[in-house]
Amino acid sequence: MIWMLIAFFTFMFLGMPVAFAIGIAGFIWFLQNPYLPITIPIQLSLSQIINFTLLAIPMFIIAGNIMNSAGVTKRLLDFASSLVGHMRGGLGQVSAVLSTLMGGVSGSSIADAAMETRMLGPEMLKRGYPRGFAVAVNVWTSLIVPIIPPGIAFILYGTIGQVSIGRLFAAGIIPGLLLMVIYMIVIYFVSRRLGLQPEREKRASYREISQALSKSIWALIFPVLLIFGLRAGIFTPSEVGSFAVVYGMIVGFLIHREMSLKSFFTEALGYSVGDIGAVLAILAMSNIFSYGMVWERVPETMANFLLGISTNPYVLMIIIMIFLVFAGLFIDATALILMTTAVFLPVARKIGIDPVHFGLVFILSAAMGNQTPPVGASMYAGCSVLGATLEEYVKASWPFLIATIIIIILVIFFPQLSLLIPKLIFG
């Protein structure tokens, strides 16, 4: 087992793509156990990606890219600007609200960070935003995206842990809104210290807000329809992804009429191929790695170790949060969720923590890895767009890091923040 872990971290340190690092490390473990058939790794990688529930992941990725091609992003940007553009650090405030709205369209923090940095970043620089702060705003606010339903991380966690995906979707609403609020507070005070001005001279009129709202309504009701469809039993988690694709096509072709057949194939489907390939490669390879961990009884050993420290739910959740935040410095967020759900969720269940409540804490803590160096994918996406150095980004990120940890701790100690809406909707 030790050689598998050494190999994994060595490959990650050398910059190998995470899917290959996981897969090769897992294969090394099989080579150390010659009594196991060498065909098992191939079977494991295939069995992981033909899971019917996981079909929702490529469907939601396609749906998100279709909605972007359908002009949804521009409409949501206008709506966000009308709501908060008059506040101090207006473009930063717009970024926080836009990420919250985009959470109902795209479940990818990385895609949102790249998109918003590309849209808002150049204007931020023109208005005197320090380059590192401009990137940090767009990268950290993108953390809201996987928390607001529908989030791909919820599907991964729910599938592995046998937790209701509908409840997980609903549980992300309040924590996602809390993240938006605390990021807006951080942006306000940092902008005030830097002397950054609002985007708009005065507050938008109610008429202007209502017009922007009406243009964005088809994107805003999308997550509501998803949760309602799951609650009413109209869709399974897999089927709701297919509904999302059809819904996006209707919006793009018939309602907004901004998507042509060419943009549908070259942009929506073209971008989706790369996105889906990256996620499914990690999914396939992670099963090989996880097999070795289960065979070596790592989940049981970790459970006994944690329970030996404390059986207090709050203490254990804080310990797990610290571990995930630290591990996220070196491991991709998707891979981290796949590798550790089966390790930590049984511990949570054993001491009576609600798996939905634990899921929010777990996913928030793991997802931060996309925003933190040295392997944060969202961080690199934002920095590459604006040409910011890692030092500039890290210096500007501390307030957002602290704010995020505050929200995670609030969710830990106040379970109803994540459980209230699932209970109201699903009983």
Side-chain angles (χ1 to χ4, degrees):
M1 186 68 195
I2 188 66
W3 288 109
M4 181 174 76
L5 294 175
I6 291 173
F8 171 71
F9 284 108
T10 301
F11 294 144
M12 290 292 293
F13 179 77
L14 294 174
M16 180 180 288
V18 64
F20 295 111
I22 294 173
I24 295 173
F27 191 75
I28 288 173
W29 181 86
F30 275 93
L31 293 179
Q32 291 180 282
N33 296 273
Y35 48 85
L36 292 174
I38 202 65
T39 56
I40 291 182
I42 299 172
Q43 295 169 351
L44 290 171
S45 61
L46 291 175
S47 65
Q48 179 78 328
I49 58 176
I50 60 174
N51 186 318
F52 185 71
T53 305
L54 292 178
L55 183 62
I57 293 176
M59 292 294 101
F60 276 123
I61 291 174
I62 294 171
N65 285 321
I66 288 175
M67 296 284 266
N68 285 333
S69 298
V72 166
T73 303
K74 179 62 170 62
R75 286 171 166 80
L76 291 177
L77 176 61
D78 293 339
F79 180 50
S81 180
S82 70
L83 289 176
V84 297
H86 63 281
M87 298 174 64
R88 174 79 72 167
L91 283 175
Q93 307 289 4
V94 168
S95 176
V97 175
L98 179 59
S99 289
T100 308
L101 299 176
M102 286 299 295
V105 176
S106 166
S108 171
S109 168
I110 302 168
D112 184 76
M115 179 270 295
E116 292 198 26
T117 307
R118 191 172 292 112
M119 292 176 65
L120 300 174
E123 289 300 316
M124 287 180 170
L125 297 182
K126 289 180 183 177
R127 285 162 172 73
Y129 285 66
R131 193 175 300 272
F133 180 61
V135 174
V137 167
N138 291 301
V139 169
W140 279 94
T141 56
S142 72
L143 182 59
I144 304 171
V145 173
I147 306 304
I148 296 289
I152 293 173
F154 291 136
I155 300 173
L156 295 175
Y157 171 85
T159 303
I160 296 170
Q162 297 298 300
V163 182
S164 167
I165 294 174
R167 287 180 179 272
L168 289 167
F169 280 175
I173 295 173
I174 293 179
L177 293 175
L178 286 175
L179 279 176
M180 179 193 74
V181 170
I182 200 166
Y183 287 156
M184 291 176 70
I185 293 171
V186 169
I187 292 166
Y188 173 83
F189 282 106
V190 175
S191 299
R192 185 175 178 179
R193 178 172 59 83
L194 296 173
L196 303 175
Q197 299 302 312
E199 170 66 11
R200 307 169 63 99
E201 294 183 0
K202 59 180 180 179
R203 188 189 300 267
S205 65
Y206 288 113
R207 181 178 181 182
E208 188 176 355
I209 293 174
S210 63
Q211 288 176 342
L213 173 62
S214 65
K215 292 178 181 179
S216 307
I217 194 65
W218 294 105
L220 297 176
I221 64 173
F222 178 54
V224 177
L225 293 175
L226 295 184
I227 294 176
F228 172 78
L230 289 169
R231 173 64 183 88
I234 300 173
F235 310 117
T236 66
S238 302
E239 294 167 346
V240 79
S242 302
F243 164 76
V245 173
V246 174
Y247 183 89
M249 293 176 67
I250 292 173
V251 171
F253 285 120
L254 302 180
I255 299 176
H256 291 171
R257 298 184 179 180
E258 292 189 16
M259 188 168 63
S260 63
L261 283 174
K262 181 179 179 180
S263 64
F264 172 72
F265 285 107
T266 59
E267 294 179 14
L269 296 186
Y271 294 155
S272 297
V273 169
D275 296 340
I276 293 169
V279 174
L280 291 186
I282 296 174
L283 277 171
M285 296 298 103
S286 68
N287 209 27
I288 302 174
F289 192 94
S290 298
Y291 187 91
M293 293 182 68
V294 173
W295 184 279
E296 299 285 353
R297 303 170 69 90
V298 172
E300 294 177 39
T301 304
M302 181 65 74
N304 292 331
F305 173 74
L306 289 173
L307 293 173
I309 296 174
S310 174
T311 56
N312 185 299
Y314 301 118
V315 172
L316 281 181
M317 291 179 80
I318 289 175
I319 292 173
I320 292 172
M321 177 196 75
I322 293 171
F323 172 85
L324 291 171
V325 171
F326 178 77
L329 299 176
F330 308 100
I331 305 175
D332 176 82
T334 302
L336 189 58
I337 291 170
L338 289 168
M339 292 163 57
T340 59
T341 296
V343 175
F344 293 125
L345 182 55
V347 181
R349 281 188 162 126
K350 193 169 184 177
I351 59 175
I353 301 174
D354 188 289
V356 174
H357 174 216
F358 179 77
L360 260 293
V361 175
F362 177 84
I363 290 169
L364 253 177
S365 303
M368 281 177 60
N370 282 328
Q371 276 68 26
T372 53
V375 299
S378 297
M379 173 192 70
Y380 284 119
C383 287
S384 64
V385 171
L386 286 191
T389 65
L390 198 59
E391 182 180 358
E392 290 173 325
Y393 170 81
V394 171
K395 185 177 178 180
S397 291
W398 285 106
F400 296 99
L401 173 64
I402 294 170
T404 306
I405 292 174
I406 289 172
I407 294 301
I408 297 174
I409 291 174
L410 281 176
V411 174
I412 288 174
F413 284 97
F414 297 95
Q416 288 306 312
L417 292 175
S418 57
L419 297 178
L420 176 62
I421 294 182
K423 287 180 179 178
L424 290 175
I425 296 176
F426 295 93

